[in-house]
Amino acid sequence: MVCTGYDLSNSVFSPDGRNFQVEYAVKAVENGGTAIGIRCKDGVVLALEKLVTSKLLKKDANKRIATVDRNIGVVHSGLLPDGRHFVSRARDEAASWRGTYKAPIPVSSLANRMGAYVQAYTLYSSVRPFGITAIIGGWDAETEVDVDGVVGSGPKMGSGGKTKGVKEGGPYLYMIEPSGSYWGYYGAATGKGRQAAKAELEKLKLNPKDDECITLEEGVKEAARIIYVAHEDSKDKDFELEMTWVSAVNGPTKGKHEEVPKELREEAERLAKKSLEADDEEEESKMEE
Amino acid sequence: MSLQHHHGQFHLTFPTNPLPLGSPYFTQSTKGYAHCEIHLLLNQLNPTIMNHLPQAWGRPRDDIYGSYNPAYLPHSRGGYQQSQHPTSHTQSPIVTGTSVLSIRYKDGVVIAADNLASYGSLARFTDVRRLKKFNRKAVVGFGGDVSDMQYLDRLLQSLNTEENYADDGGAGLMTAKNLHTYLSKVMYKRRSEFNPLWNAILVAGLDETDRPFAAYVDLLGTTFSAPTLATGFGAHLAQPILRRLVPDEKASEELTREAAVEAVRECMKVLFYRDARSMDRYSIAVIDKSGVDIREDEKLEEQSWAFADRIRGYGTQTV
């Protein structure tokens, strides 16, 4: 890069219209542990490759995937404190939404607000862009939700302007980059192993219109496997798998964002390791031929 | 405006422009009923005296009480307030719930409240749930103003959501005791601002060592605890019955769940007999180590009215 001063200050356009400071923030993200999100037929899975920097760190402590409101999860890759700040803001946004509308914030609205917030940090030279890419996954209630604080059943007619039997809500997944740009995804990956993870995600059947769209349980197993695959390139370092999920009200998490139960996670990890070993053997046998 | 007395009739003339707020309605002193009637008449005729803005209602007369201190009024009306409206606080409850009862037994607590929200003497809303589950260790029962109950319900929901962020696997779960402390601070702060939440509240559940816990807090921030508790009419009618069963802590520690539930159901019946703001549909919850068992559409059973057709008149009547 020709250093002519266009990369020294945030919010400065280079002659070809780029904000170099934002691009440097992306570099910080690319160093972080791999984080992925999978949108399944009946829920969303979030998974994180948490690099273990010391044997003195307590196992299963220092959780990195955060909950926003009750039904939304956020996983991020990059600078950890920036992620904390992001989550804190997301929680405030969710609370403020409830204050106004007396109902949980839809995942799409949260993504929109957080996108706007992150983008604001590319507008001024007095601030620096977020050094994270965040994946937001959640479940919007598909049943009619009571207004917060409701005390009775109210009128028997139901709320106005609604067509009977119409279902809304479902699983949602968004990824927000340091520039503030965000899109909805079937499967999203960020961090060091994102290329390998994306290649694996593309092999999965994730289109909701497709009858074969994978289920939440399958998603959990795939998520664990993909994190293990993405870790292959930095095999020498230890890591912990952190995994959360959110399902419909009648699913395993009852519409809440929760940690994947220990037994299920360990089973998924066992399968992941097994599939990696199988791959290795396959390669070895090919080599021998 | 002027007022003339002619042949026993009052004649009123009005200025062409409506009076500005706070200006004297009468230039000379009038007395007795005549004044009241004129005032009422004026209220109907002059929109600046009686309008839809509550801050203009019932303004004392300047000629009697001196000019009004406008400090509490907004800038636009000559005062010093930033807001468009003068500060107003809850003066009285509007839609209300009646008694809440609770009794501690050896393993847990039973709490109950009926499903009625009254609008004065009108039984306005008949499916109002006044017991709110907080978590598996705590239930809150609300009496008093229903809009304030809804506010508190939202406050507790947001508190619960924030508590959930800690993510310590349930180790730091808020107990009923924690919740009661929190609510008592909220209630006391609000009354200290002369803007109370018009409720009497019972918090029932378990404390940090999983022992039964129940305590009271009301709109003044007053708190107390006892083996049996009741708010409103319940304090007069249910407490004596519950105390006969559980006179002291020791009796409470020996009481079974069945006996506790039975006693509360009996008290709900007595309250329905004698409290005109009560109803025969009610909610009852039992909280113990296994969690919260809440039933929200119970009906009073085995009421006794058969004696009524033997009662004739008020003394001498025999048929």
Side-chain angles (χ1 to χ4, degrees):
Chain A
M1 186 178 304
V2 196
C3 281
T4 45
Y6 294 111
D7 66 343
L8 296 177
S9 180
N10 189 17
S11 170
V12 167
F13 283 103
S14 77
D16 51 354
R18 290 153 58 176
N19 182 342
F20 284 119
Q21 283 295 320
V22 168
E23 292 181 21
Y24 295 157
V26 173
K27 293 261 186 280
V29 173
E30 289 171 1
N31 285 326
T34 314
I36 63 164
I38 304 177
R39 181 186 184 274
C40 311
K41 188 163 65 186
D42 47 357
V44 179
V45 190
L46 300 176
L48 174 69
E49 170 205 29
K50 198 162 61 189
L51 296 168
V52 178
T53 50
S54 161
K55 278 184 179 160
L56 299 174
L57 285 168
K58 190 180 166 192
K59 221 171 177 309
D60 290 331
N62 306 309
K63 291 280 186 288
R64 282 266 302 276
I65 308 182
T67 304
V68 172
D69 208 294
R70 302 308 286 259
N71 59 324
I72 298 172
V74 176
V75 62
H76 49 85
S77 185
L79 305 187
L80 194 120
D82 286 28
R84 291 256 162 86
H85 177 101
F86 181 93
V87 166
S88 162
R89 176 69 183 200
R91 287 172 175 172
D92 287 352
E93 290 290 354
S96 122
W97 182 281
R98 273 199 191 261
T100 309
Y101 302 107
K102 317 293 181 223
I105 188 169
V107 185
S108 60
S109 302
L110 182 72
N112 180 271
R113 287 184 169 203
M114 291 316 293
Y117 187 67
V118 170
Q119 193 260 341
Y121 281 76
T122 68
L123 295 174
Y124 312 97
S125 58
S126 52
V127 295
R128 63 171 178 79
F130 275 83
I132 57 155
T133 287
I135 297 172
I136 299 179
W139 184 280
D140 289 347
E142 72 282 27
T143 49
E144 203 158 321
V145 187
D146 273 341
V147 172
D148 285 355
V150 75
V151 292
S153 63
K156 294 283 177 281
M157 281 90 90
S159 42
K162 270 208 161 172
T163 315
K164 216 179 170 185
V166 167
K167 279 192 177 177
E168 287 177 18
Y172 291 90
L173 185 70
Y174 293 87
M175 182 159 76
I176 302 179
E177 291 161 31
S179 62
S181 60
Y182 71 95
W183 285 275
Y185 288 88
Y186 291 157
T190 179
K192 198 171 248 168
R194 69 196 172 287
Q195 298 297 2
K198 270 193 233 171
E200 292 299 319
L201 284 169
E202 278 164 14
K203 290 180 202 160
L204 301 179
K205 290 202 160 52
L206 296 176
N207 187 342
K209 282 167 194 151
D210 188 341
D211 285 341
E212 292 164 45
C213 179
I214 67 168
T215 64
L216 189 56
E217 300 247 341
E218 288 168 329
V220 166
K221 283 167 189 158
E222 293 295 348
R225 191 181 61 78
I226 291 171
I227 290 293
Y228 271 84
V229 169
H231 184 72
E232 286 289 272
D233 288 339
S234 43
K235 240 180 177 172
D236 48 324
K237 285 179 192 146
D238 256 358
F239 83 105
E240 260 182 54
L241 173 68
E242 198 181 322
M243 204 157 47
T244 62
W245 61 349
V246 54
S247 77
V249 177
N250 53 17
T253 78
K254 301 185 174 63
K256 291 189 172 131
H257 173 253
E258 287 172 355
E259 216 174 303
V260 173
K262 201 163 176 248
E263 306 77 57
L264 186 55
R265 193 195 70 208
E266 280 168 357
E267 168 68 2
E269 281 188 88
R270 192 183 61 77
L271 292 172
K273 282 176 195 159
K274 207 170 122 189
S275 108
L276 279 185
E277 279 162 21
D279 285 352
D280 286 348
E281 275 164 32
E282 217 170 277
E283 267 169 43
E284 273 167 33
S285 61
K286 269 183 197 164
M287 298 268 269
E288 278 161 26
E289 282 165 26
Chain B
M1 182 180 61
S2 65
L3 175 66
Q4 286 146 359
H5 191 217
H6 255 309
H7 308 291
Q9 275 190 308
F10 289 103
H11 295 269
L12 294 167
T13 53
F14 295 97
T16 37
N17 292 322
L19 287 166
L21 271 172
S23 72
Y25 306 146
F26 299 93
T27 46
Q28 56 201 99
S29 150
T30 50
K31 279 185 180 174
Y33 292 113
H35 155 64
C36 293
E37 280 168 27
I38 293 160
H39 204 95
L40 283 173
L41 188 60
L42 278 172
N43 281 347
Q44 286 160 15
L45 295 175
N46 191 331
T48 59
I49 295 172
M50 187 69 184
N51 58 23
H52 65 284
L53 300 169
Q55 58 264 38
W57 302 349
R59 181 69 55 76
R61 289 168 53 196
D62 289 3
D63 58 327
I64 292 178
Y65 299 101
S67 65
Y68 213 82
N69 174 9
Y72 82 99
L73 290 173
H75 272 298
S76 58
R77 306 235 181 232
Y80 308 107
Q81 293 292 316
Q82 291 292 315
S83 121
Q84 271 299 108
H85 304 283
T87 319
S88 62
H89 291 326
T90 309
Q91 302 292 318
S92 57
I94 308 295
V95 178
T96 58
T98 185
S99 326
V100 188
L101 310 180
S102 91
I103 185 167
R104 293 205 312 256
Y105 67 94
K106 62 180 179 182
D107 304 316
V109 189
V110 183
I111 183 169
D114 72 21
N115 293 348
L116 179 67
S118 306
Y119 181 71
S121 55
L122 176 68
R124 179 66 182 83
F125 304 102
T126 54
D127 62 350
V128 171
R129 313 292 186 227
R130 298 195 288 124
L131 298 186
K132 307 281 181 190
K133 179 181 167 178
F134 182 74
N135 58 27
R136 66 184 161 79
K137 277 190 171 184
V139 169
V140 190
F142 292 91
D145 191 83
V146 168
S147 60
D148 286 348
M149 168 175 91
Q150 289 178 298
Y151 166 77
L152 282 168
D153 186 27
R154 289 195 289 265
L155 188 72
L156 294 185
Q157 270 192 47
S158 77
L159 176 69
N160 205 352
T161 303
E162 281 165 30
E163 283 295 310
N164 189 51
Y165 291 155
D167 193 32
D168 51 7
L173 191 74
M174 265 185 91
T175 64
K177 201 174 176 183
N178 298 145
L179 187 60
H180 177 258
T181 306
Y182 177 84
L183 276 173
S184 67
K185 306 283 169 189
V186 171
M187 300 301 275
Y188 182 65
K189 179 170 188 288
R190 287 293 295 263
R191 90 93 197 240
S192 301
E193 291 167 347
F194 296 94
N195 187 18
L197 293 162
W198 220 284
N199 299 104
I201 300 168
L202 297 187
V203 183
L206 304 175
D207 67 10
E208 61 282 351
T209 55
D210 276 353
R211 295 295 305 151
F213 173 91
Y216 169 99
V217 59
D218 66 11
L219 73 168
L220 301 172
T222 309
T223 61
F224 55 85
S225 183
T228 66
L229 289 168
T231 75
F233 246 91
H236 302 99
L237 297 173
Q239 275 284 45
I241 301 170
L242 294 172
R243 281 182 186 163
R244 205 163 49 184
L245 183 70
V246 181
D248 50 25
E249 291 283 346
K250 193 167 166 289
S252 159
E253 281 159 20
E254 284 161 7
L255 190 68
T256 64
R257 174 178 173 146
E258 291 69 31
V261 170
E262 174 60 28
V264 167
R265 288 190 192 275
E266 188 60 27
C267 287
M268 290 307 288
K269 193 153 67 182
V270 171
L271 283 167
F272 177 60
Y273 285 150
R274 317 207 94 110
D275 175 1
R277 304 286 167 270
S278 70
M279 203 180 60
D280 57 350
R281 295 257 174 199
Y282 65 101
S283 308
I284 186 165
V286 184
I287 308 102
D288 62 15
K289 272 182 206 167
S290 62
V292 174
D293 175 17
I294 189 164
R295 288 147 204 266
E296 294 192 309
D297 200 22
E298 296 294 282
K299 197 163 167 45
L300 288 181
E301 278 160 4
E302 293 171 24
Q303 290 179 44
S304 155
W305 295 104
F307 67 92
D309 60 4
R310 296 196 299 276
I311 298 169
R312 304 266 187 278
Y314 296 91
T316 55
Q317 186 182 325
T318 52
V319 288

